[in-house]
Amino acid sequence: MQEWLNVVLEWMDNPIIQAGAASFLAALIVAKLLSYMWLSGLAVIAAFCATVYLISDFNFDSLTIIKKIILAGLVAAILAPLFDLVSSHVRLMRCFIAIACASVVLWVFWSVLERKDWSDIVVYGSGLVAYIACLSLLLDRLTSTSVHAASSAMGLGASIGVSALLSASALLGQFGIAIAMAGAAYLLLQFVSNRLLPSGRTFTLPLSVLCGLIAPAAMILAKLPWYCLPLFLLIPLVAQIPLPENWSLRWQTVMFFILTLISSAIPVLLIMHESGVYSI
Amino acid sequence: MSRFALLLSAVFFIVNSHQVLAEPENYTLDPTHTYLHFGISHLGFSTMYGRFDQSSGRFLIDSVAKTASVKVTIEAASINTGLEKRDDHLRSPDFMNAVEFPVVTYHSTAVTFKGEYPSVIEGNLTLLGVTKPVTLTITAFKCGVNPMNKRAMCGMDAVGSMKRSDFGMTYALPGVGDELKLTIEAEGYKD
């Protein structure tokens, strides 16, 4: 029994288990179990929390940028089902979400921004606000199309995660991979069951907040090049491509899996090219 | 006469050398001879060593009253293990989080003397915004005149240890060790 426990504990220290298998499993279980309550979108936050639990903690005594990101993700997941209830005034709601996300990004990074010159504050601040606002607007358009939303989550998570890893932060990299695993679990369930899962803002809002904060954190706190941020926006943009309506759900899943994976590789390849790891 | 002159110069030397530590004296750390070195277990196989290249600070010492204090500021981004990619990772939020917390500070709270020289420094270390007590044991201490530039100075070696998890630096535990062995080399010139 003790030996078995030791093996499990050893597994839990493995980064692949922490960010990959554990988050995938958590997302799969939550997406399946809560699908009957229209809350399967909580798979994103479940995957993220599983990874946070294994590599960090939920102690918010010292509110660092990383802790603020975790807190913002949790709050977004709590508020998202309420936002789902507002079905009318879609555009107004989208604007509200974009403004809220912009406020959150400034709150999270203000401790670092305030030490910069005013010109840098304006450049960095407006860049971060533009990035998270665009991301939230693009993802909010996918609330009713869960294959598109799930493939965006997988592509964004993978791209941000691998880019963060290459930019010297394994922690942020693992956060990104956890989100990719949530997207992958969501896609897999839809592919296997050949049935759409409900996603809604329960899925897209935590996704917007987390991807909208993890990537800037990798840029400001680690060495992610700034041009990766607009390139990450290509992923939810590609996921908006309308596919022929007569295509089966499985075909759509495969197609979006491929499309978002290709677009997610662009920033990664550019970082690898710049760092000399890979020559284009 | 020559014996008298010799005696006078000997008395002058003794009085002068005693004066070096006779009153509270302020010293400014020499950044080119002040480094915090650390050692940490790498996956339990070996101990990896590194140091912080940039620091500044001051210390005050009164060997008659047997009191002393020290304040040191270390630039977190100056961490150096001899491998740029690893140093980038150590500067990231996984470990030092050098952008958000650019400095590490150590302020003494009490200094114990053994004879006329300090032997143990108790103080507070602030790392990643968390302040915890860290005790340093002085293994060597010397004050005198630098033979090269003729300036009064003091120097010391000290050792200590700390747990990084106490400061919220929990990434890669337990693979990358929790306990850091600290070794300090410091020199300061009298103001």
Side-chain angles (χ1 to χ4, degrees):
Chain A
M1 183 67 180
Q2 186 62 40
E3 273 181 27
W4 184 82
L5 196 68
N6 286 342
V7 170
V8 172
L9 288 174
E10 209 169 290
W11 277 7
M12 292 300 168
D13 291 333
N14 188 321
I16 296 167
I17 302 290
Q18 290 169 337
S23 53
F24 182 79
L25 210 61
L28 208 61
I29 293 166
V30 167
K32 184 66 190 162
L33 289 181
L34 299 185
S35 62
Y36 305 105
M37 298 161 66
W38 290 82
L39 288 172
S40 53
L42 290 174
V44 172
I45 200 70
F48 181 70
C49 285
T51 298
V52 170
Y53 175 74
L54 291 174
I55 63 173
S56 181
D57 55 56
F58 292 97
N59 181 350
F60 298 106
D61 285 347
S62 175
L63 213 53
T64 62
I65 286 175
I66 297 293
K67 296 293 180 183
K68 283 180 183 174
I69 291 172
I70 297 168
L71 191 62
L74 289 171
V75 171
I78 292 165
L79 293 178
L82 301 175
F83 287 9
D84 263 339
L85 298 174
V86 185
S87 52
S88 55
H89 307 295
V90 174
R91 283 188 178 178
L92 199 67
M93 199 62 195
R94 268 179 203 159
C95 286
F96 174 75
I97 288 171
I99 292 166
C101 286
S103 311
V104 168
V105 83
L106 290 177
W107 169 67
V108 168
F109 294 102
W110 186 248
S111 60
V112 172
L113 291 179
E114 68 177 348
R115 286 187 230 131
K116 295 183 183 291
D117 296 334
W118 269 108
S119 55
D120 281 348
I121 293 175
V122 171
V123 171
Y124 275 88
S126 54
L128 298 182
V129 163
Y131 166 70
I132 199 168
C134 289
L135 188 67
S136 66
L137 288 171
L138 284 169
L139 287 173
D140 200 71
R141 288 167 60 95
L142 306 176
T143 47
S144 55
T145 51
S146 55
V147 170
H148 301 236
S151 53
S152 291
M154 193 205 62
L156 273 169
S159 194
I160 292 171
V162 178
S163 300
L165 270 173
L166 293 171
S167 307
S169 179
L171 178 82
L172 294 169
Q174 284 178 283
F175 284 176
I177 300 295
I179 293 165
M181 287 298 120
Y186 224 75
L187 277 179
L188 182 71
L189 274 176
Q190 292 178 104
F191 182 82
V192 170
S193 65
N194 200 21
R195 194 168 59 89
L196 279 173
L197 279 173
S199 55
R201 291 197 175 100
T202 322
F203 189 95
T204 56
L205 188 62
L207 180 64
S208 301
V209 170
L210 290 172
C211 291
L213 295 174
I214 294 169
M219 184 187 80
I220 289 174
L221 304 179
K223 299 187 85 177
L224 184 79
W226 67 269
Y227 55 76
C228 286
L229 263 57
L231 290 174
F232 291 142
L233 295 175
L234 282 176
I235 299 158
L237 204 63
V238 164
Q240 321 259 338
I241 295 172
L243 293 181
E245 284 181 12
N246 57 347
W247 280 25
S248 73
L249 183 65
R250 284 193 174 121
W251 262 115
Q252 287 189 34
T253 307
V254 170
M255 204 60 210
F256 277 118
F257 176 84
I258 294 166
L259 284 173
T260 50
L261 216 57
I262 291 168
S263 52
S264 70
I266 298 169
V268 174
L269 289 174
L270 279 172
I271 295 171
M272 289 171 82
H273 177 65
E274 194 174 83
S275 63
V277 177
Y278 170 75
S279 280
I280 294 172
Chain B
M1 184 63 186
S2 62
R3 276 188 186 174
F4 178 72
L6 197 66
L7 185 69
L8 199 67
S9 60
V11 168
F12 181 76
F13 175 77
I14 290 163
V15 169
N16 252 359
S17 64
H18 185 251
Q19 269 183 347
V20 169
L21 293 175
E23 290 173 354
E25 290 171 338
N26 281 300
Y27 291 80
T28 301
L29 288 172
D30 172 10
T32 61
H33 289 96
T34 302
Y35 298 104
L36 167 63
H37 303 256
F38 62 89
I40 191 164
S41 167
H42 179 242
L43 308 174
F45 291 110
S46 67
T47 303
M48 191 202 74
Y49 293 96
R51 77 174 193 187
F52 291 88
D53 286 342
Q54 288 166 23
S55 60
S56 61
R58 303 172 61 75
F59 62 91
L60 180 143
I61 183 163
D62 183 342
S63 61
V64 176
K66 299 200 187 307
T67 58
S69 65
V70 60
K71 284 184 180 180
V72 185
T73 301
I74 298 156
E75 302 295 324
S78 71
I79 195 164
N80 182 357
T81 62
L83 185 66
E84 191 57 33
K85 278 195 183 294
R86 180 169 54 214
D87 294 343
D88 284 341
H89 188 202
L90 291 171
R91 288 181 198 111
S92 80
D94 302 12
F95 294 97
M96 293 304 296
N97 202 358
V99 173
E100 194 174 1
F101 298 101
V103 293
V104 180
T105 60
Y106 183 76
H107 290 186
S108 66
T109 52
V111 178
T112 308
F113 277 65
K114 193 176 179 181
E116 64 178 314
Y117 293 124
S119 59
V120 176
I121 306 172
E122 289 168 55
N124 288 324
L125 182 77
T126 303
L127 168 65
L128 300 174
V130 179
T131 302
K132 296 274 178 184
V134 169
T135 300
L136 302 172
T137 303
I138 296 172
T139 55
F141 191 93
K142 181 184 176 182
C143 288
V145 175
N146 185 317
M148 306 303 286
N149 58 24
K150 310 299 179 197
R151 289 174 66 192
M153 65 179 290
C154 288
M156 69 160 187
D157 295 328
V159 293
S161 67
M162 55 167 270
K163 280 191 172 181
R164 65 185 178 101
S165 59
D166 288 346
F167 298 86
M169 194 191 289
T170 54
Y171 188 77
L173 284 173
V176 177
D178 192 9
E179 186 168 325
L180 275 102
K181 295 171 193 166
L182 307 174
T183 307
I184 294 125
E185 52 170 312
E187 288 182 8
Y189 283 105
K190 190 179 164 188
D191 291 345

